[in-house]
Amino acid sequence: AQSVTQPDIHITVSEGASLELRCNYSYGATPYLFWYVQSPGQGLQLLLKYFSGDTLVQGIKGFEAEFKRSQSSFNLRKPSVHWSDAAEYFCAVGAGNFGNEKLTFGTGTRLTIIP
Amino acid sequence: KAGVTQTPRYLIKTRGQQVTLSCSPISGHRSVSWYQQTPGQGLQFLFEYFSETQRNKGNFPGRFSGRQFSNSRSEMNVSTLELGDSALYLCATGLAGGNTDTQYFGPGTRLTVL
């Protein structure tokens, strides 16, 4: 069965510093990978997705992620974080019977930004 | 284009009652998936509907059910509520659920069971 691991439960970074959130997946076939962000009490907003092709994908809000098949990883990065980036981040793999209609999520990484 | 709409946004119920939650998809989206989010279990998939048919099902008891209407709007129902059903219920919609499809989430319904 597919699974997603986000090893960091909580990360604290200074405003302006770079950020990397880790995500490892386990999936037998070609993975379809997503990063979502959730602000407190809100739904999930899509940051970026990887389906195929270029392994470095660009998303919204200045985020990017790199797919590394050899490491089964899909880490999220941002060169300089802003206070508004404080939120919870979820990595997910699409694993439905017909495609990505069913997502399996990691446990999330809570990001705190300090001035 | 309007986003995914969920109603109501907040609900308070007591044990033993039942509840119905509604999800209106983005225009043109025909796949609707439901998720339960709790601090202890995280985000868990409940079920997915497409063209009024349940295509995928997660590992939840039969108290959790859903349906989809011809206009793609979906409802989920939880009967005989338990304290552990307190959660944020999220729906996500997509075009058809293919390998290049993307799920877009609504704001969620916060259910509190007392």
Side-chain angles (χ1 to χ4, degrees), chain B residues 60-93:
Chain B
F60 279 80
R63 300 186 297 108
F64 292 82
S65 62
R67 60 177 176 168
Q68 187 180 36
F69 302 94
S70 58
N71 62 356
S72 295
R73 188 177 70 86
S74 176
E75 290 181 346
M76 68 163 282
N77 185 78
V78 189
S79 62
T80 320
L81 284 166
E82 300 176 359
L83 295 179
D85 297 333
S86 294
L88 182 66
Y89 290 88
L90 294 162
C91 81
T93 76

Side-chain angles (χ1 to χ4, degrees), chain A residues 32 34 36 38 41-44 46 49 51 90 96-103 105, chain B residues 31 33 35 37 43 45 48 55-56 88 90 97-103 105-107:
Chain A
Y32 299 93
F34 304 83
Y36 287 88
Q38 185 179 36
Q42 302 298 312
L44 277 69
L46 177 71
K49 58 191 176 185
F51 291 157
F90 293 92
N97 294 329
F98 301 89
N100 299 327
E101 72 280 4
K102 172 186 174 182
L103 296 173
F105 285 90
Chain B
S31 168
S33 300
Y35 296 83
Q37 185 178 26
L43 281 152
F45 174 81
E48 182 255 355
R55 293 195 304 181
N56 291 268
L88 182 66
L90 294 162
N99 288 336
T100 57
D101 201 9
T102 300
Q103 297 287 300
F105 283 79

Side-chain angles (χ1 to χ4, degrees), chain A residues 20-86:
Chain A
E20 182 167 27
L21 302 182
R22 296 183 289 164
C23 171
N24 292 97
Y25 68 89
S26 173
Y27 191 64
T30 301
Y32 299 93
L33 297 161
F34 304 83
W35 276 99
Y36 287 88
V37 61
Q38 185 179 36
S39 298
Q42 302 298 312
L44 277 69
Q45 181 183 23
L46 177 71
L47 283 176
L48 48 78
K49 58 191 176 185
Y50 172 77
F51 291 157
S52 64
D54 193 348
T55 55
L56 185 64
V57 293
Q58 302 297 320
I60 61 172
K61 304 185 180 186
F63 285 92
E64 66 178 25
E66 185 170 14
F67 170 64
K68 293 185 177 179
R69 185 184 297 276
S70 61
Q71 299 177 18
S72 297
S73 69
F74 188 55
N75 294 349
L76 183 72
R77 301 194 295 246
K78 186 170 185 178
S80 175
V81 298
H82 185 262
W83 64 267
S84 60
D85 293 324

